[in-house]
Amino acid sequence: MRRSFSVARERRAFTLVELLVVIAIIGLLVALLLPAVNAAREAARRTQCMNNLRQLSLAMINYESAKGAFPYGSHVRTQAEYAAAYPNGADRPGSWYDDHGWYSNIGAYIEESAFADIVDYNSSFSSVKNEQARRTFINIYACPSDIGLQRNEWNVATWCRIRGNYVVNFGNTVYGQLDVRASNVFFGGAPFTFNDGVPLRKIKDGTSKTLMMAEILVLPELDSQNAWGGPYSDIVTCLGGQSFTTWLPPNSPIGDDIARLVVEARYYEQNNIPIPRRVSGDNTFMQTFGSRSHHPGGVEATNCDGSVQFVADSIDLQTWRAMSTAAGLDFTKE
């Protein structure tokens, strides 16, 4: 009886071959389940991204209802206008593109009243009077599929700003909303512009057919917090990074055209951003900022009626450009 019991005990153990088979099966199951888990996580992130954009677009619409127009994309357009807006030179450091844009105007409409209350509209947004507002992190501007909000020139009180994911539509050509005659493409209007807000009634193409906002990728923080990485994804002021244009299709592998390009290529590469090209003469108006995301296959965008849509990378470029125009114009002319 003792011998029989001993044999039974020995037979309960796994052999090495059986153990390896079990491990292989478990590994196979994990390999099969992992893509599904990752897909589910990305679906959740996309849903959160859509909700962020929906809330921002509704804020823009509520602002339009209250003020009669969308917030301006940039407060002023020239240095002379900048000087006239703030006669006290101490209240207007830098240049016109360091001033208020749409970002500082919609705080109260996204339930960020604490932010809105500390914004001083009588001074440039880059004034030290607005330092606290520029340092305020507002999580709604971060797509969960990207690297999160990033600090920009954080140790400099005048220039500290935040980089984020959501920007407004400046049309089908360049940041300066100019015709690109060399390519036979003419500016067809946009819901955001310089100097003034655009009322909904001026969006002739229809609010459900005209883009309002879209995603961009965020440039990582630089090694030195005293350094400036240029305007890319700088959504806070009016350097151009608060906008996108449809000159390039969604998630284009071609780099954007950016003025005063100062950061090393490795920072763009860290977040899979195509390395930009420097604009000749550092002409701010000739910049292009394409819409990009880490969502597979496309970007999230909103229309001027508040609806959200996923735009595929494969969209026809002319269709994409037409979606950004607001004036009901034929922007390709012979």
Side-chain angles (χ1 to χ4, degrees), residues 112-132:
E112 291 288 343
S113 56
F115 166 81
D117 289 344
I118 60 175
V119 175
D120 183 351
Y121 294 99
N122 294 316
S123 300
S124 168
F125 202 44
S126 287
S127 166
V128 292
K129 295 178 182 178
N130 282 309
E131 178 186 355
Q132 185 180 354

